[in-house]
Amino acid sequence: MDDARFFNDEPFLDQEEGPDLLGHEQYGQHAVKLLQRVRAQTETGVLALIGPWGSGKSTVLGKVIRQLRAQDISRDAWLVAELNPWLYSDLESLTVALFSEIRAALPEEEQWSEARQKIGGFGQAISPLGKLTALAGLDSESLIKAISDRVSGDTSASAAKRKAEDALRKAGSPVLVVMDDLDRLTPDELLLVFKLVRLVGHLPNVYYLISFDEQTLLDVLRRSDLVGNSEPRAREFLEKIIQVRLDLPAFRERDADVLVDRSLTAVLHSHELTMTPSEQERLSEAYYRYLQARLRTPRAIKRFFGQVDATLGQLTGNVDIVDFLIVTFLRTSEPRAYQLLWQHRAELTGTSMDLPPRRNERPEQGIDRWRTRLQDAGVAEQHLDGVIGLMGMLFAPVRQALGHGINLQAIALRRGIDYFDRYMVFGIPDDDLPEHTLDTALQQLADSTPGTEADELLLRLRDDTQRITRRIGYKRAAGAPLPAAALLKAAAPHYGHLTAAPQGALGLFTADRAMDVLAKDLLTDLAEPDRAAILKTMAETPDGAVLAARTLQRVTSRNDSDSPDHTQAAATPGWIGEARSLISHEIARHLAPSARRPVDELTEPEITLIWAWRHTAP
């Protein structure tokens, strides 16, 4: 699986699964040997390959067919006829199809002509006239003669069957009729197939290899009038039809782990991705705690990674790969639970102003609420804890309610579910900023070089303040170098024009508060001797002066207060006094034109500026 080939439901017949990764080739060889032993003991029989849906039955059947067809041509070589019962709705059509497939499986050479003719004759004898055209190999002249023979009574079904049996014995080569996915038929269709196999198709040198999921097939039989709602009777009925069971070997945990590892490697290679040790650790936790129990068949694994490969697309490098894998699993395995993520995004992320307060709620109450929601969404009881556990790996509030610790630094290091919309629309929304654009904008600010990316960042900082400040904060927490001075200078003039809507419970987390927090962090990243000059530059505009004053107050709140005593003042670093003086000078300059106007004529920005002045000159 060097390339990601997930977009089909075909069996693994080539080397897609690796060198007999799941033992399919070996089991196919076992089935071929068993066919030889059955043939040595009886001239006809029915074998059943049994296994759950998606466990690899079709793959094993395909390998059996390939091995048989690869045999050297001889009198003892197997001939293979494949019959798809899904295509036929009545016994007559299915019967005609069976003999057509058997005739088609016989070689074209002269020594097989008699067998081909007698098989066709038997099919004609037992088929209504309207079905005769389905028998391959009859031209119009032969068809007219066949109809004439039927009408004149020159042909009987029993005589035709004896001739066909004699021809098949004389030919000597065994014919294997393969029928897959019988468990997907309706009760009536299934009974037709068994009637065909047991009665009409009971011919010498003709063997049947059928496959199905046993429990599903039993459920289908129980819906039929013949068996009734009795599983013991259904099993007895199957035992009359089937002589030999071939139970597909169990799909071991080791097999699943190896196939998952190969599939993940193929996806990462396809999208030119690698995983960090911390990502590998998180994925290991998610897989062994929650995913392994659900990825129990080759089909389930293939389907899951097919969805990952199909939707990763432009999200490559813009999402946390582990979070993306978890979200994709929920979307493919529990689609209604996945819809709940969007429906309750406020509660899960804490970024919406319409979240009702639950201050007195105990953690277990929140988990019980989610259990009820997931049950209503159709999540099976045995899967509830697993789904909630996966949600805990995505969302800090759920993880906290589960009693698991939260590593804020680890959260900051990844492009996690906080980039919520990306995971829901499988791309970068128009109102989002791709990672490459953000990185380029920060570099432009650091280099003092203008660019469209830097302009876009400042625009988003105004309109999407909380998210952009969080993303810059994540980079800071991850240890990425940030142009702290350039960011502070660039953000200051826009401080009074932030338009982002409030977020959080009751809408308390406003845009200016988000900017205040970021500015404080950025200022503390600067060397102390550089801080006063940066604050002065920020204060050169009225809006910037407000941000500078508030930032200084936040940074120095631990050193002194608005009314410091002498001990605190003596401990105050020198840059703080310089910064207060510089900011106060700028504020006084901005307020000079309004100094002689009555107080009731002051504008709101002027009042805000006066109110901020108290931080630098109480």
Side-chain angles (χ1 to χ4, degrees), residues 253 257-258 282-293:
E253 288 185 1
D257 294 348
V258 172
R282 289 184 61 239
L283 180 57
S284 179
E285 177 187 356
Y287 177 72
Y288 287 108
R289 280 193 177 184
Y290 309 116
L291 299 180
Q292 186 184 52

Side-chain angles (χ1 to χ4, degrees), residues 18-263:
D20 199 20
L21 175 63
L22 307 179
H24 289 154
E25 188 76 29
Q26 181 181 0
Y27 198 73
Q29 294 171 358
H30 166 69
V32 169
K33 292 178 182 178
L34 183 59
L35 282 170
Q36 300 287 17
R37 293 172 58 194
V38 170
R39 186 189 174 211
Q41 299 179 31
T42 178
E43 64 176 6
T44 186
V46 180
L47 295 82
L49 180 63
I50 300 172
W53 277 358
S55 59
K57 297 187 299 297
S58 297
T59 297
V60 173
L61 288 181
K63 292 186 178 295
V64 169
I65 292 170
R66 285 196 174 188
Q67 291 178 32
L68 293 178
R69 287 177 173 167
Q71 294 175 343
D72 295 333
I73 298 177
S74 67
R75 179 179 174 84
D76 293 328
W78 284 82
L79 307 173
V80 180
E82 297 181 69
L83 180 61
N84 186 351
W86 289 20
L87 302 178
Y88 311 99
S89 59
D90 57 78
L91 180 61
E92 292 83 4
S93 297
L94 191 59
T95 301
V96 170
L98 171 65
F99 292 114
S100 294
E101 294 295 343
I102 293 176
R103 289 181 75 251
L106 300 179
E108 297 286 348
E109 284 80 0
E110 179 65 27
Q111 67 262 33
W112 297 94
S113 59
E114 180 183 0
R116 291 172 61 85
Q117 180 185 5
K118 299 307 181 184
I119 288 294
F122 182 33
Q124 295 174 38
I126 63 176
S127 301
L129 295 179
K131 308 292 184 180
L132 288 177
T133 55
L135 278 170
L138 289 181
D139 56 27
S140 58
E141 183 177 346
S142 301
L143 178 60
I144 292 174
K145 182 179 183 303
I147 295 175
S148 175
D149 290 343
R150 289 284 295 274
V151 173
S152 63
D154 291 339
T155 305
S156 71
S158 57
K161 184 176 183 181
R162 285 194 299 272
K163 292 178 181 179
E165 290 173 343
D166 291 341
L168 287 168
R169 288 192 181 98
K170 183 179 178 181
S173 293
V175 178
L176 180 67
V177 180
V178 178
M179 290 187 282
D180 196 4
D181 293 328
L182 295 191
D183 46 32
R184 303 188 185 188
L185 299 173
T186 67
D188 291 341
E189 292 169 342
L190 184 61
L191 292 178
L192 287 177
V193 171
F194 285 148
K195 182 177 181 181
L196 174 69
V197 169
R198 185 65 175 169
L199 300 176
V200 181
H202 194 76
L203 299 168
N205 278 332
V206 176
Y207 300 83
Y208 296 87
L209 179 56
I210 62 179
S211 80
F212 52 82
D213 169 59
E214 185 170 32
Q215 190 56 55
T216 302
L217 193 73
L218 291 173
D219 292 341
V220 173
L221 284 173
R222 287 171 58 187
R223 300 200 305 270
S224 69
D225 294 334
L226 178 64
V227 171
N229 190 22
S230 171
E231 185 167 316
R233 283 179 57 84
R235 290 189 180 277
E236 291 174 4
F237 180 81
L238 274 184
E239 290 172 0
K240 293 179 181 179
I241 302 295
I242 299 167
Q243 282 76 58
V244 182
R245 290 175 59 107
L246 279 164
D247 288 277
L248 201 65
F251 189 53
R252 301 174 300 166
E253 288 185 1
R254 172 194 171 277
D255 300 330
D257 294 348
V258 172
L259 188 55
V260 165
D261 183 67
R262 285 180 176 267
S263 300

Side-chain angles (χ1 to χ4, degrees), residues 586-608:
E586 293 300 320
I587 292 178
R589 182 172 63 82
H590 297 316
L591 289 174
S594 59
R596 298 184 180 182
R597 296 209 315 269
V599 173
D600 57 1
E601 293 182 8
L602 294 177
T603 64
E604 184 174 346
E606 291 169 337
I607 295 174
T608 301

Side-chain angles (χ1 to χ4, degrees), residues 469-487:
T469 56
R470 277 199 304 270
R471 290 176 61 182
I472 294 174
Y474 290 158
K475 288 185 174 295
R476 178 178 179 271
L482 291 176
L487 278 170

Side-chain angles (χ1 to χ4, degrees), residues 284-409:
S284 179
E285 177 187 356
Y287 177 72
Y288 287 108
R289 280 193 177 184
Y290 309 116
L291 299 180
Q292 186 184 52
R294 303 290 298 273
L295 299 175
R296 298 303 303 147
T297 66
R299 176 178 294 154
I301 294 171
K302 185 177 182 180
R303 178 171 176 260
F304 168 54
F305 283 100
Q307 289 299 310
V308 172
D309 193 43
T311 53
L312 188 52
Q314 64 173 311
L315 290 176
T316 301
N318 287 293
V319 293
D320 177 82
I321 185 62
V322 179
D323 282 1
F324 182 79
L325 288 167
I326 295 173
V327 170
T328 302
F329 175 81
L330 292 175
R331 181 169 58 83
T332 55
S333 300
E334 300 288 355
R336 291 176 62 191
Y338 167 78
Q339 293 170 3
L340 289 176
L341 303 185
W342 183 268
Q343 184 179 347
H344 298 281
R345 113 180 232 167
E347 180 179 341
L348 293 169
T349 63
T351 58
S352 177
M353 61 184 297
D354 58 356
L355 180 64
R358 298 189 177 98
R359 296 178 181 175
N360 298 322
E361 183 179 75
R362 298 189 304 276
E364 59 269 21
Q365 289 178 291
I367 297 302
D368 288 343
R369 184 172 60 255
W370 271 105
R371 291 183 68 87
T372 300
R373 288 171 179 166
L374 293 170
Q375 285 174 326
D376 293 342
V379 177
E381 183 68 30
Q382 67 267 29
H383 298 323
L384 281 175
D385 290 338
V387 172
I388 292 175
L390 289 173
M391 291 176 60
M393 296 195 69
L394 294 173
F395 302 102
V398 179
R399 187 173 184 86
Q400 200 168 21
L402 287 169
H404 301 158
I406 299 177
N407 187 335
L408 295 178
Q409 184 177 8

